[in-house]
């Protein structure tokens, strides 16, 4: 049988039961009025109807069934006629209604009692009404009842009005105590609820407080005073109305859970700031008013969930204080929300939250990927520069050890030939001298080519010696300041050397300077190379300057290259590099 | 080639060594007038070998040579006990003896 059928059948049964209540009254009138009986039937009907709606809308929650049960028991307690069995059942059930009602209120909204105090209170309620009523019936014979002559209760043992009164009074006092405790619990629950929880709980709590207060009032008035008939009626009507309001409040609370528009806007704004995974969690928690909210990520490789810091997370099961909502996209699970069970599933809201969370997580993932890629690119750029340097160094060595040695040998051989030929053959001597001149020029060109590729002095002796050699070759006088004598990491030395070399070449070509200062300084873990001239300034490096290639070299080491060259104020070129402490000094090698 | 250049000018080459360690040993054993010493040696640094030879053969004049330029070595030349530096391409017996005599 489908749930729909069951619900429909129960609804039909409710209507029949309501009608039966009224009918029995018409056939066996008691001291109450027809209006009151119709009102009672209506209250029971509202509980049943609200329960069935809740059951239909939220079948996974037991609360709907519990609410319907309240309605049925209520109707059953009202429908009686003067026969021993219905009378006895009516009497026991009449107290039970309030106990089941209390159970439903405290179990709202999941249908499960959340904590020990609630369970204890509900158990006490059941015990009081069942035991109290049964024990009472053992002694109470309704002598003053209009129909007293025609029925008796089934459990009557010894008709004794004084004992019955004492039991009634005892039960009454206990009931009042339980009702007061219930009010305290309601208010405490309200106080500790989250914003989302209050949205759901609010109507139920306050309707329940009202109804319980009415019950307490009636108990006190009926139990300890002799109220006039009209007051009894007013109280009875009042209780019925307030009790009828409670299931409506249940429904309002259950169906009210949906994302507030403002909260959704706030969520999108917060997620728009591209927070990390934990930022996403905080934004969701704020938007949903549930500080306990946790966001976990599905890890297909391990088949489990992990939190933002990568630790595995077990999803709670059978924990009434936490609910789990799976986050899926395109049928694929990507995470889950662990949240306050009050933040009940409302598909629109969860779709919105899921989409927002997915967007933010996707952003965070892309950001992380981008960062990782940047790190890889930076590392690969450094490797490329390093590999390039290694190649340059090898070419320089090959030129030096190979070609240059051969040319030098030829020069020595020319010297020997010149000696053999003697001074008589002037023509041959002139030819030899010419060849030697060409050879010297060739050797010079080869040396300067090799130096441009990678200066041997930089490899062998380091930055200080290399800059000194550079300074000596510069046509414009160079003043070297504070160059550290110790060896630095090779890529750093190479970058600084080539920057200085290019800068000095530019000074010689364009600056019309009379003086250049080259400073190398180490401060706060940074190494600064500054080349300043007193020339005409106004240098433009936007074109195809050799400095552009050098900027790549500098940035590959996380450094920065800056040129300031105002017209008439000379040119200052500044290259700045971070120096890892461990690499501050290296033995020369 | 260096031996042929020097002998062509009437100098006597009394020994040859292929690395720094054997150069120190030979200089100590022979006690030559002049040692022509390459700055770049298979087993290390010519400047250190120059100091070692100066220690074992006090009379010997040391002249450093290299296919590198003097300019690249200037800072270290300032500290050496060698008489001077002769670029490889400029090698001749005349230049060598002149440089050996340049320092008392």
């Amino acid at each position: 049988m489908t749930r729909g059928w069951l619900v429909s059948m129960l609804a039909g049964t409710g209507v029949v039961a309501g009608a039966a209540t009224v009918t029995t009254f018409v056939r066996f009138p008691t001291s109450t009025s027809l209006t009151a009986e119709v009102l009672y039937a209506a209250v029971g009907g509202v509980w049943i109807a609200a329960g069935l709606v809740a059951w239909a809308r939220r079948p996974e929650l037991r609360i709907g069934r519990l609410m319907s049960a309240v309605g049925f028991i209520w109707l059953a307690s009202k429908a009686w006629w003067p026969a021993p069995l219905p009378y006895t059942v009516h009497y026991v059930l009449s107290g039970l209604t309030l106990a089941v009602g209390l159970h439903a209120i405290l179990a709202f909204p999941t249908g499960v009692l959340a904590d020990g105090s609630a369970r204890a209170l509900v158990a006490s309620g059941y015990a009081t009404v069942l035991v109290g009523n049964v024990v009472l019936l053992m002694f109470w014979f309704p002598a003053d009842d209009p129909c007293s002559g025609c029925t008796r209760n089934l459990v009557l043992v010894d008709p004794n009005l004084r004992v019955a009164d004492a039991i009634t009074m005892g039960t009454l006092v206990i009931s009042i105590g339980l009702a007061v405790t219930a009010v305290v619990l309601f208010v405490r629950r309200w106080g500790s609820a989250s914003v989302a929880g209050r949205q759901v709980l609010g109507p139920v709590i306050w309707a329940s407080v009202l109804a319980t207060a009415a019950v307490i009032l009636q108990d006190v008035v009926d139990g300890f005073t002799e109220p006039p008939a009209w007051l009894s009626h007013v109280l009875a009507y009042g209780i019925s109305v307030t009790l009828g309001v409670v299931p409506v409040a249940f429904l309002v609370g259950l169906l009210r859970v949906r994302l507030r528009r403002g909260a959704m806007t706030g969520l999108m704004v917060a997620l728009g700031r591209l927070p990390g995974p934990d930022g996403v969690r905080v934004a969701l928690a704020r938007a949903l008013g549930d500080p306990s909210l946790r966001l976990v990520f599905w890890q297909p490789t391990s088949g489990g969930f992990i939190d933002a810091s990568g630790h595995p997370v077990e999803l709670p099961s059978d924990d009434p204080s936490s609910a789990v909502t799976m986050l899926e996209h395109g049928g694929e699970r990507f995470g889950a929300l662990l949240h306050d069970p009050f933040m009940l599933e409302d598909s629109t809201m969860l779709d919105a939250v899921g989409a927002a969370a997915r967007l933010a997580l996707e952003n965070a993932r892309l950001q992380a990927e981008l960062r990782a890629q940047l790190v890889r690119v930076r590392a690969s750029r450094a490797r490329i520069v390093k590999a390039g340097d290694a190649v340059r160094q090898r070419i320089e060595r090959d030129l030096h050890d190979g070609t240059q040695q051969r040319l030098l040998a030829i020069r020595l051989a020319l010297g020997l030939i010149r000696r053999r030929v003697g001074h008589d053959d002037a023509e041959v001597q002139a030819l030899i001298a010419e060849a030697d001149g060409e050879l010297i020029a060739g050797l010079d060109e080869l040396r300067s080519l090799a130096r441009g590729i990678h200066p041997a002095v930089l490899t062998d002796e380091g930055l200080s010696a290399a800059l000194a050699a550079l300074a000596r070759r510069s046509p414009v006088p160079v003043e070297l300041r504070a160059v550290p004598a110790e060896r630095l990491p090779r890529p750093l030395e190479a970058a600084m050397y080539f920057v200085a070399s290019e800068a000095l070449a530019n000074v010689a070509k364009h600056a019309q300077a009379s003086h250049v200062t080259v400073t190398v300084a180490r401060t706060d873990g940074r190494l600064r190379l500054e080349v300043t001239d007193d020339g005409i300034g106004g240098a433009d490096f936007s074109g195809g300057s050799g400095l552009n290639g050098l900027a790549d070299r500098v940035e590959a080491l996380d450094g920065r290259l800056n040129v300031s060259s105002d017209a008439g104020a000379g040119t200052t070129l500044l290259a700045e590099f971070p120096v890892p402490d461990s690499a501050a000094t290296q033995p020369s090698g | 080639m260096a031996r042929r250049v020097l002998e062509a000018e009437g100098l006597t080459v009394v020994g040859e060594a292929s690395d720094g360690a054997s150069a120190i040993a030979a200089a100590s054993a022979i006690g030559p007038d002049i040692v022509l010493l390459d700055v770049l040696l298979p087993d290390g640094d010519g400047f250190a070998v120059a100091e070692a030879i100066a220690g074992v053969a006090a009379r010997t004049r040391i002249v450093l040579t290299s296919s590198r330029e003097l300019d690249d070595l200037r800072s270290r030349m300032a500290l050496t006990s060698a008489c001077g530096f002769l670029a490889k391409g400029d090698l001749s017996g005349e230049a060598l003896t002149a440089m050996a005599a340049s320092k008392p």
Side-chain angles (χ1 to χ4, degrees):
Chain A
M1 187 162 28
T2 64
R3 200 175 61 240
W5 268 104
L6 197 58
V7 168
S8 311
M9 277 183 58
L10 285 172
T13 312
V15 171
V16 172
T21 312
V22 178
T23 314
T24 54
F25 174 77
V26 173
R27 279 197 58 199
F28 308 101
T30 60
S31 59
T32 52
S33 64
L34 180 62
T35 324
E37 290 300 327
V38 172
L39 182 62
Y40 293 157
V43 169
V46 171
W47 275 93
I48 293 173
L52 292 179
V53 169
W55 193 12
R57 288 289 299 267
R58 312 297 310 277
E60 79 283 3
L61 300 178
R62 269 195 249 165
I63 193 70
R65 279 163 280 176
L66 210 47
M67 288 161 69
S68 302
V70 174
F72 279 112
I73 293 172
W74 169 276
L75 285 181
S77 74
K78 295 299 177 192
W80 69 284
W81 59 95
L85 183 64
Y87 182 80
T88 309
V89 170
H90 152 74
Y91 220 95
V92 175
L93 288 183
S94 64
L96 194 60
T97 314
L98 288 178
V100 182
L102 179 66
H103 183 175
I105 293 166
L106 285 174
F108 183 81
T110 57
V112 179
L113 292 170
D115 54 51
S117 51
R119 277 192 290 274
L121 183 62
V122 169
S124 310
Y126 282 122
T128 305
V129 297
L130 288 175
V131 175
N133 281 357
V134 171
V135 171
L136 175 63
L137 284 177
M138 289 159 76
F139 301 98
W140 188 56
F141 190 83
D144 56 344
D145 197 288
C147 208
S148 58
C150 56
T151 190
R152 61 178 192 87
N153 74 64
L154 283 179
V155 289
L156 183 64
V157 177
D158 172 25
N160 186 332
L161 217 53
R162 282 180 59 196
V163 174
D165 277 349
I167 294 169
T168 306
M169 193 53 70
T171 313
L172 190 65
V173 169
I174 294 174
S175 301
I176 292 173
L178 292 178
V180 171
T181 312
V183 170
V184 171
L185 269 190
F186 296 158
V187 173
R188 214 173 65 185
R189 221 167 152 216
W190 165 261
S192 64
S194 60
V195 174
R198 286 184 181 183
Q199 274 204 327
V200 180
L201 277 179
V204 176
I205 294 276
W206 299 118
S208 303
V209 166
L210 194 65
T212 315
V215 168
I216 294 172
L217 187 64
Q218 190 199 34
D219 282 353
V220 170
V221 169
D222 279 354
F224 300 100
T225 65
E226 293 283 331
W230 66 266
L231 182 55
S232 288
H233 284 182
V234 166
L235 280 174
Y237 287 144
I239 285 184
S240 297
V241 170
T242 50
L243 284 179
V245 167
V246 171
V248 176
F250 271 59
L251 269 191
V252 169
L254 278 175
L255 305 179
R256 189 177 177 184
V257 193
R258 74 177 62 94
L259 199 61
R260 292 154 295 160
R261 189 186 292 268
M264 195 65 203
T265 313
L267 176 64
M268 294 319 281
V269 168
L271 293 180
R273 296 194 199 103
L274 294 181
D278 196 60
V280 174
R281 189 202 73 78
V282 171
L284 290 176
R286 195 166 297 151
L288 298 173
D290 175 9
S292 72
L293 181 127
R294 291 172 71 196
L295 181 60
V296 295
F297 311 99
W298 175 247
Q299 218 188 15
T301 47
S302 69
F305 288 94
I306 53 167
D307 62 13
S309 52
H311 296 114
V313 175
E314 280 288 325
L315 295 191
S317 54
D318 290 336
D319 179 0
S321 70
S322 181
V324 177
T325 301
M326 292 295 166
L327 298 176
E328 293 181 345
H329 177 63
E332 245 175 75
R333 175 189 292 177
F334 68 91
L337 289 176
L338 311 187
H339 55 84
D340 190 325
F342 288 121
M343 208 192 72
L344 296 164
E345 163 251 310
D346 171 317
S347 60
T348 336
M349 174 191 84
L350 278 180
D351 282 354
V353 168
R358 187 175 57 76
L359 268 180
L361 290 177
E362 187 70 1
N363 271 333
R365 192 182 63 74
L366 286 176
Q367 268 185 311
E369 209 165 273
L370 196 65
R371 269 195 295 273
Q373 207 163 31
L374 204 63
V375 168
R376 281 199 298 276
V377 166
R378 196 172 286 162
S380 105
R381 184 154 71 164
R383 276 198 304 277
I384 289 170
V385 167
K386 203 173 171 186
D389 275 350
V391 169
R392 294 170 81 126
Q393 221 165 312
R394 207 190 61 230
I395 293 173
E396 188 272 340
R397 184 147 298 150
D398 286 350
L399 285 177
H400 177 265
D401 294 345
T403 317
Q404 194 189 358
Q405 297 299 335
R406 288 180 195 286
L407 294 180
L408 285 171
I410 292 172
R411 192 154 185 247
L412 293 182
L414 269 184
L416 286 173
I417 293 169
R418 177 159 47 194
R419 189 168 288 277
R420 287 281 173 82
V421 169
H423 293 284
D424 303 340
D425 197 334
E427 199 178 334
V428 175
Q429 282 291 349
L431 272 175
I432 291 173
E434 197 180 321
D436 195 42
E438 288 296 320
L439 206 48
I440 289 171
L443 274 166
D444 278 348
E445 280 172 21
L446 187 65
R447 276 201 196 95
S448 86
L449 174 67
R451 193 186 304 119
I453 291 170
H454 197 94
V457 61
L458 183 64
T459 315
D460 296 341
E461 302 197 32
L463 185 64
S464 177
L467 287 183
L470 207 54
R472 280 192 294 273
R473 275 195 303 274
S474 166
V476 183
V478 174
E479 181 190 345
L480 276 181
R481 278 188 199 160
V483 182
E486 73 268 18
R487 295 303 299 259
L488 298 163
R490 297 305 144 86
L492 252 182
E493 286 191 335
M496 294 183 60
Y497 173 85
F498 283 113
V499 168
S501 170
E502 181 68 24
L504 289 178
N506 284 336
V507 169
K509 267 187 264 176
H510 310 295
Q512 302 172 32
S514 63
H515 185 80
V516 192
T517 315
V518 176
T519 314
V520 180
R522 182 138 100 212
T523 43
D524 305 331
R526 293 186 77 78
L527 206 52
R528 293 156 53 94
L529 166 76
E530 199 179 299
V531 182
T532 308
D533 68 53
D534 60 353
I536 55 170
D540 177 18
F541 293 99
S542 59
S545 159
L547 277 178
N548 290 341
L550 286 176
D552 288 347
R553 190 185 261 280
V554 171
E555 282 161 20
L557 298 169
D558 273 344
R560 281 195 326 237
L561 191 61
N562 254 311
V563 180
S564 56
S565 185
D566 294 334
T571 300
T572 294
L573 183 145
L574 176 68
E576 222 181 337
F577 305 87
V579 188
D581 279 344
S582 57
T585 48
Q586 276 195 350
S588 58
Chain B
M1 185 59 78
R3 171 188 277 266
R4 281 159 70 186
V5 168
L6 296 179
E7 284 181 343
E9 293 185 51
L11 294 173
T12 312
V13 177
V14 293
E16 275 184 80
S18 57
D19 57 37
S22 49
I24 296 167
S28 168
I30 302 167
D33 294 332
I34 302 169
V35 169
L36 180 64
L37 182 62
D38 199 316
V39 170
L40 296 175
L41 296 170
D43 58 348
D45 177 23
F47 287 97
V49 173
E51 298 314 306
I53 291 175
V56 295
R59 279 187 48 255
T60 301
R61 300 298 177 98
I62 302 163
V63 173
L64 292 166
T65 185
S66 176
S67 52
R68 299 263 183 239
E69 289 167 279
L70 175 60
D71 203 34
D72 286 349
L73 303 168
R74 214 177 279 278
S75 58
R76 310 191 62 191
M77 283 304 297
L79 301 170
T80 184
S81 42
C83 301
F85 177 87
L86 194 57
K88 264 191 193 165
D90 297 333
L91 180 63
S92 69
E94 196 181 340
L96 182 64
T97 46
M99 186 152 290
S102 69
K103 218 173 181 179

